[in-house]
Amino acid sequence: PRAVRPPCSAAGVSQVTVRDALNQALDEELERDERVFLLGEEVAQYDGAYKISRGLWKKYGDKRVIDTPISEMGFTGIAVGAAMAGLRPVCEFMTFNFSMQAIDQVINSAAKTCYMSAGSIAVPIVFRGPNGASAGVAAQHSQCFAAWYGHCPGLKVVSPWSSEDAKGLLKASIRDDNPALNLGVFFFFNISVLGTHVTLVSHSRPVGHCLEAAAVLAKEGVECEVINLRTIRPMDIETVEASVVKTNHLVTVEGGWPQFGVGAEICARIMEGSAFNYLDAPAVRVTGADVPMPYAKILEDNCIPQVKDIIFAVKKTLNI
């Protein structure tokens, strides 16, 4: 089930950050399978722009952890070719915004080759890096690519939030014979709700906002069921449907733009399925603003879904 469990609060239990969870996953997979290697900008001697690959270059050396020039099209092409030849590369983008430089390699070379070769050529590659809005980096560095890549058959697209999700999904992606995009988060926190009044569906960083909104609404007697999607393609729509059947209300939350977004897909799938008959009100989407991301902080804050926006949407759909 995708409903997020309450966080562990036992005294003395240490929580692993998302950063450390990703580092552990890479370390374990590099050690487990000699075909696995990591390449990207500053992943080796600098330990990664966000220190995800901390210590890996010293442990595995130049052939397994490779620094690349600032040329996404070039090193992505190298990684895709290596995957076709039998290796299992992890291709890191400093941010998924930079994957636009290599989208031909990701879509036309990686995603379509298995189908176009009638299944004779596998492309076991992972593209990973932070996704969505950071802070103060403006329009060209703050886009969410979940809907972009989730649109394309041939790819598996994961969007984890908690450290547990991040580690498990990265390991699964590396072992998968299909190309996978691992959309990380810029802000490294841990989360970790069942309800009866409304279903909140989200992925990545906004899951935390949903949990905060659920905590506020619980004080007003509104019980929210928060679903952490974890994967965009394939999408676990069955869990969403089961929750909607129980709560009779649906709010989707995402950091991306509204048009053709992940929330739009969820709403369409619910409308086309049997769960639609259980809705007592129209589904509501909470999204990023339909504008390029501004640089000014006050404008940036108003372009990204906030806890107050989720609370407003829940009250709107519940008519309270």
Side-chain angles (χ1 to χ4, degrees):
R2 302 292 187 184
V4 178
R5 298 186 301 277
C8 179
S9 58
V13 176
S14 61
Q15 291 188 328
V16 177
T17 66
V18 172
R19 179 186 287 112
D20 289 342
L22 290 169
N23 179 264
Q24 289 173 12
L26 288 169
D27 188 6
E28 291 170 12
E29 292 305 302
L30 283 162
E31 186 172 27
R32 184 189 67 86
D33 189 341
E34 63 181 11
R35 298 172 298 171
V36 176
F37 70 98
L38 172 67
L39 79 166
E41 296 156 1
E42 300 182 349
V43 301
Q45 296 185 46
Y46 188 67
D47 281 341
Y50 302 99
K51 307 306 175 189
I52 299 300
S53 54
R54 184 182 61 252
L56 299 182
W57 173 69
K58 291 180 180 178
K59 182 175 182 179
Y60 295 101
D62 289 323
K63 291 186 177 180
R64 304 288 302 283
V65 183
I66 304 167
D67 277 331
T68 66
I70 303 174
S71 177
E72 281 77 12
M73 182 182 292
F75 69 72
T76 304
I78 290 171
V80 172
M84 291 179 181
L87 299 179
R88 307 188 83 88
V90 179
C91 179
E92 179 171 309
F93 299 118
M94 197 174 291
T95 156
F96 259 98
N97 295 271
F98 301 158
S99 73
M100 290 295 95
Q101 300 290 328
I103 195 168
D104 179 62
Q105 303 283 10
V106 175
I107 304 301
N108 282 330
S109 296
K112 299 177 182 177
T113 293
C114 183
Y115 175 82
M116 294 178 69
S117 67
S120 63
I121 302 176
V123 189
I125 186 171
V126 175
F127 305 100
R128 70 153 309 276
N131 173 64
S134 181
V137 292
Q140 294 181 337
H141 297 76
S142 290
Q143 298 159 100
C144 176
F145 291 92
W148 292 55
Y149 287 119
H151 179 66
C152 303
L155 293 175
K156 292 186 176 179
V157 182
V158 305
S159 185
W161 169 246
S162 71
S163 55
E164 181 184 28
D165 297 342
K167 182 175 181 178
L169 287 169
L170 180 54
K171 289 171 72 74
S173 298
I174 292 171
R175 298 182 188 189
D176 201 298
D177 286 335
N178 299 283
L181 280 97
N182 201 288
L183 304 173
V185 292
F186 275 102
F187 299 92
F188 299 98
F189 301 111
N190 284 314
I191 60 161
S192 287
V193 165
L194 297 174
T196 57
H197 294 138
V198 61
T199 298
L200 297 176
V201 185
S202 188
H203 67 95
S204 192
R205 185 185 174 199
V207 173
H209 296 333
C210 288
L211 292 172
E212 291 181 44
V216 174
L217 288 162
K219 297 176 182 178
E220 301 180 28
V222 177
E223 297 180 6
C224 301
E225 180 144 296
V226 180
I227 296 178
N228 173 12
L229 278 178
R230 295 189 177 98
T231 60
I232 306 302
R233 177 185 276 267
M235 181 177 287
D236 184 12
I237 201 65
E238 291 83 6
T239 292
V240 181
E241 288 177 328
S243 181
V244 169
V245 167
K246 180 172 66 170
T247 68
N248 311 118
H249 299 89
L250 173 64
V251 175
T252 67
V253 184
E254 62 188 306
W257 294 313
Q259 194 154 320
F260 313 114
V262 174
E265 174 67 17
I266 295 168
C267 291
R269 300 276 283 273
I270 292 298
M271 186 193 74
E272 293 168 349
S274 59
F276 174 75
N277 299 312
Y278 290 83
L279 281 175
D280 288 342
V284 175
R285 290 180 294 156
V286 179
T287 72
D290 194 23
V291 296
M293 183 63 71
Y295 173 74
K297 177 171 174 50
I298 190 168
L299 296 178
E300 180 184 68
D301 289 345
N302 280 280
C303 282
I304 302 172
Q306 305 293 328
V307 173
K308 63 181 177 60
D309 302 317
I310 301 170
I311 294 172
F312 178 84
V314 168
K315 290 184 175 182
K316 176 182 177 181
T317 192
L318 292 176
N319 196 29
I320 57 176

